């Protein structure tokens, strides 16, 4: 006579089935690869994995400009040796604990390059650069953002990065120097930031396609000026007027803001 499993045995079998099922395709996803295995690139669900590389063997992962990771870079001479580098990021978070895992939106690490040569990988805002690593005491320094799977974040087919000149007298700058005020412009907008207040009040500025717009901005605190959509930036030293000239060669609505304080200065409506 066949014996039917008791209630206790059925419970054990059911529990085993649940465990095995969780380990299959219905299990909890992880962003890490198994120890001892190579880094695996994500399946491309975040952005679009391009065939192009960043020049160091890492493929580009392209995302839309709106909400894309951004970085600015500054270098301050250290009183003892070399420079202290500062990476200011936006829409991005350093995630050292998940390096080697899948590419997640706005997460990853940065790599530093000196005159195009790989210098270091960094997982935070600050990095010390010894003077002995800089040939001749000067060079070009680049900070580039990468996803956890080591693909390089990109916008418009170009890596998300910032580059500054590095000299013994460097006092800090952003990835894009401000153009000189002598550049010809079809229209000039004067904007002032005082104690967190924008003057005149932020509004919409109508612009014709093809016009050159000069943004003359003065801030009472150090900040960074950024024009969305055109990826134009300029450093705003405290108490100084900076002019950033933009050619409106694309139609649409583009916000002009400050990075660190996150203030909207104006909107360029290009038609």
């Amino acid at each position: 006579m066949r014996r039917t499993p008791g209630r206790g045995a059925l419970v054990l079998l059911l529990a085993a089935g649940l465990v095995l099922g969780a380990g299959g395709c219905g299990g909890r996803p992880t962003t890490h690869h198994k120890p001892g295995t190579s880094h695996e690139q994500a399946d491309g669900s975040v952005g679009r994995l391009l065939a192009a590389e960043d020049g160091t063997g890492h493929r580009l992962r392209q995302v839309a400009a709106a909400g894309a990771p951004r970085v600015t870079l500054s270098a301050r001479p250290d009183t003892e040796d070399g420079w202290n580098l500062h990476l200011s990021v936006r829409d991005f978070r350093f995630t050292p604990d998940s390096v080697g895992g899948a590419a997640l939106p706005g997460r990853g690490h940065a790599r530093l390059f000196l005159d195009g040569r790989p210098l270091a990988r960094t997982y935070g805002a600050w990095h010390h650069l010894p003077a002995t690593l800089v040939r001749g005491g000067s060079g070009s320094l680049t900070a580039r953002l990468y996803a956890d799977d080591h693909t390089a974040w990109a916008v418009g087919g170009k890596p998300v990065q910032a580059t500054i000149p590095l000299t013994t007298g460097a006092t800090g700058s952003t990835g894009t120097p401000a153009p000189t005020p002598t550049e010809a412009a079809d229209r000039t907008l004067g904007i002032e930031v005082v104690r967190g207040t924008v003057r005149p009040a932020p509004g919409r500025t109508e612009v014709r396609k093809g016009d050159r717009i000069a943004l003359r901005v003065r801030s009472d605190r150090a900040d960074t000026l950024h024009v969305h959509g055109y990826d134009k930036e300029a450093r705003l030293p405290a108490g100084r007027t900076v002019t950033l000239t933009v050619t409106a060669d694309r139609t649409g609505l583009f916000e002009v803001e400050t990075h660190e304080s996150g203030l909207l200065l104006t909107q360029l409506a290009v038609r």
Side-chain angles (χ1 to χ4, degrees):
M1 182 177 178
R2 294 181 61 185
R3 298 181 58 188
T4 57
R7 183 176 179 181
L10 288 174
V11 172
L12 289 175
L13 288 172
L14 179 60
L18 290 174
V19 171
L20 290 174
C25 62
R28 183 176 182 269
T30 175
T31 61
H32 293 76
H33 59 81
K34 295 180 180 179
T37 62
S38 61
H39 295 305
E40 294 181 356
Q41 292 180 331
D43 59 8
S45 58
V46 178
R48 183 161 61 94
L49 195 60
L50 305 181
E53 298 182 349
D54 69 341
T56 64
H58 298 86
R59 293 177 67 180
L60 303 183
R61 183 174 295 280
Q62 181 160 285
V63 293
R70 283 177 282 169
V71 59
T72 55
L73 179 64
S74 63
R76 304 175 184 175
D78 186 83
T79 56
E80 184 174 308
D81 170 63
W83 296 263
N84 291 317
L85 311 179
H86 183 246
L87 286 72
S88 177
V89 296
R90 185 156 189 183
D91 296 322
F92 183 81
R93 181 159 62 94
F94 291 102
T95 51
D97 291 338
S98 57
V99 63
L104 298 179
R107 300 188 182 187
H109 55 276
R111 293 175 186 260
L112 300 175
F113 300 87
L114 184 62
D115 293 329
R117 297 178 284 111
L119 183 65
R121 187 192 301 175
T122 181
Y123 294 97
W126 289 95
H127 182 84
H128 180 254
L129 176 61
T132 55
L133 297 180
V134 183
R135 299 173 182 174
S138 63
S140 176
L141 186 68
T142 297
R144 187 178 301 155
L145 298 184
Y146 291 80
D148 285 329
D149 68 343
H150 300 282
T151 53
W153 291 114
V155 173
K158 296 181 180 180
V160 175
Q161 63 184 35
T163 301
I164 61 172
L166 188 66
T167 63
T168 53
T171 57
S173 64
T174 61
T176 305
T180 61
T182 57
E183 290 183 273
D186 299 293
R187 187 171 180 179
T188 300
L189 300 178
I191 302 172
E192 186 177 19
V193 180
V194 179
R195 297 179 181 177
T197 300
V198 180
R199 303 172 182 170
R204 183 170 297 185
T205 303
E206 298 291 333
V207 178
R208 294 180 303 176
K209 184 180 178 181
D211 281 356
R212 291 177 60 81
I213 309 301
L215 300 167
R216 291 180 55 82
V217 182
R218 181 184 180 91
S219 175
D220 61 351
R221 55 163 290 181
D223 214 315
T224 303
L225 175 65
H226 181 81
V227 182
H228 284 280
Y230 291 97
D231 291 326
K232 284 276 194 176
E233 291 185 354
R235 182 169 60 94
L236 291 176
R240 288 177 53 188
T241 300
V242 172
T243 301
L244 177 61
T245 303
V246 179
T247 300
D249 53 7
R250 287 189 293 163
T251 58
L253 187 63
F254 306 95
E255 292 187 345
V256 181
E257 66 171 12
T258 55
H259 262 182
E260 282 70 20
S261 56
L263 295 174
L264 175 66
L265 304 184
T266 189
Q267 292 179 320
L268 301 179
V270 184
R271 310 193 187 282

